Amino acid sequence: MAARRRTLRILTGAAAASLALVSTAWSRPAPPGHEVRAQAPAAEGPATLCAPAGTLRGADGERADVGLCAGSGTPVMAVSAPASCGRPGTSVRYACLTSGTWTAKRQGRTVASGTLPGSQPYPGPGTYEVTATVHVRSTPSGVDLRGTVRTTLTLSAPKQRPTHRVEVDRTALRRGATTTLTYRVYRDSEQGDGSARFGLIGEESKGVRISTADARCVNPLIGRAPAEDRLTYSVDCALTDLQPGRPATVRVRVTQGSSCSSVVSKLGYWMPRGQALYTGGMVEGPTVGCR
């Protein structure tokens, strides 16, 4: 019995010593260089969010349950309207084809719209009210419905910073005059390379003429060989030396007739990823109006 009491006292003393050591360790500041910090959440990658948007019904019992989907995490917001459809009294498994148009609003303001399926520049994270006017047809035939559906989608992926941008020194052209426009094409990303395709186009029916002395640019060739006709209202430039901190400058002359044409611009570029086929992107450049 005495031996058991001695053992108990020894164990109790050891436990107290251990607790004292733990308490002392907790009370000491952590050694420098060993601070533990919460890890920042990883950026959300590309993803597609879908939600039920409505049901279309026909006079003979046809039915189409339509959803709306929006993709985020890439430079564009891709919208589609998948559907499941059928009709009573048949065991046929229908495939559904949807087409139409869509509009996305954020805080009551329209921020994107287009055809189904289709995409527009991604406006960034937020809650969107998406409305679509859809036409649903089935394969095999049997369902052919039209209507409007809507849903709310909350996208959380951050808006990607543009890798390329285009600026121009004027906002308006004048009727019956020739104006020189100076465009600056920027590559702001370390990714990719210096290659880009810069294009300008006016309205064919307005008789506008676009020309340039820049050797990197041409009026596009049209027609079957050996024809040498070229579009006079469009210019296409192949840029190969874009670098961060080294934009390209392109000057063009725009000649307006009695009609007045705006000039729009766009930029296509490479973002190489090995030998993958689809690795490029497209940037909408500024539109220069006419008065």
Side-chain angles (χ1 to χ4, degrees), residues 263-275:
V263 174
V264 302
S265 60
K266 58 185 176 181
L267 181 76
Y269 57 89
W270 286 101
M271 295 292 284
R273 190 174 61 249
Q275 293 182 328

Side-chain angles (χ1 to χ4, degrees), residues 153-208:
L153 298 174
T154 299
L155 304 178
S156 57
K159 185 175 181 178
Q160 292 187 357
R161 294 184 60 185
T163 60
H164 295 69
R165 56 192 167 96
V166 181
E167 297 178 355
V168 67
D169 63 342
R170 293 178 180 268
T171 59
L173 302 165
R174 297 187 66 84
R175 187 189 312 268
T178 297
T179 306
T180 298
L181 298 177
T182 301
Y183 289 87
R184 299 270 281 180
V185 180
Y186 295 83
R187 171 183 158 214
D188 296 322
S189 173
E190 300 290 339
Q191 294 180 305
D193 59 29
S195 299
R197 197 73 172 264
F198 179 54
L200 304 169
I201 190 166
E203 299 172 70
E204 179 181 10
S205 62
K206 300 293 181 64
V208 62

Side-chain angles (χ1 to χ4, degrees), residues 9-90:
R9 282 197 297 271
I10 292 171
L11 290 175
T12 302
S18 298
L19 182 58
L21 289 172
V22 171
S23 300
T24 303
W26 284 349
S27 65
R28 288 200 303 265
H34 293 278
E35 182 180 358
V36 178
R37 296 184 179 181
Q39 295 292 321
E44 183 177 327
T48 298
L49 179 66
C50 299
T55 299
L56 306 181
R57 291 181 171 85
D60 297 324
E62 310 98 304
R63 174 189 178 110
D65 295 312
V66 184
L68 286 172
C69 301
S72 64
T74 68
V76 297
M77 181 168 103
V79 176
S80 60
S84 60
C85 52
R87 56 184 303 142
T90 178

Side-chain angles (χ1 to χ4, degrees), residues 80-127:
S80 60
S84 60
C85 52
R87 56 184 303 142
T90 178
S91 59
V92 175
R93 299 185 64 180
Y94 291 101
C96 304
L97 179 70
T98 60
S99 58
T101 59
W102 62 274
T103 299
K105 293 184 177 182
R106 185 173 59 188
Q107 297 179 339
R109 185 174 68 89
T110 299
V111 294
S113 61
T115 57
L116 284 171
S119 59
Q120 290 292 318
Y122 177 49
T127 298

Side-chain angles (χ1 to χ4, degrees), residues 204-220:
E204 179 181 10
S205 62
K206 300 293 181 64
V208 62
R209 299 175 66 87
I210 306 176
S211 61
T212 179
D214 195 316
R216 300 169 297 178
C217 306
V218 296
N219 293 99

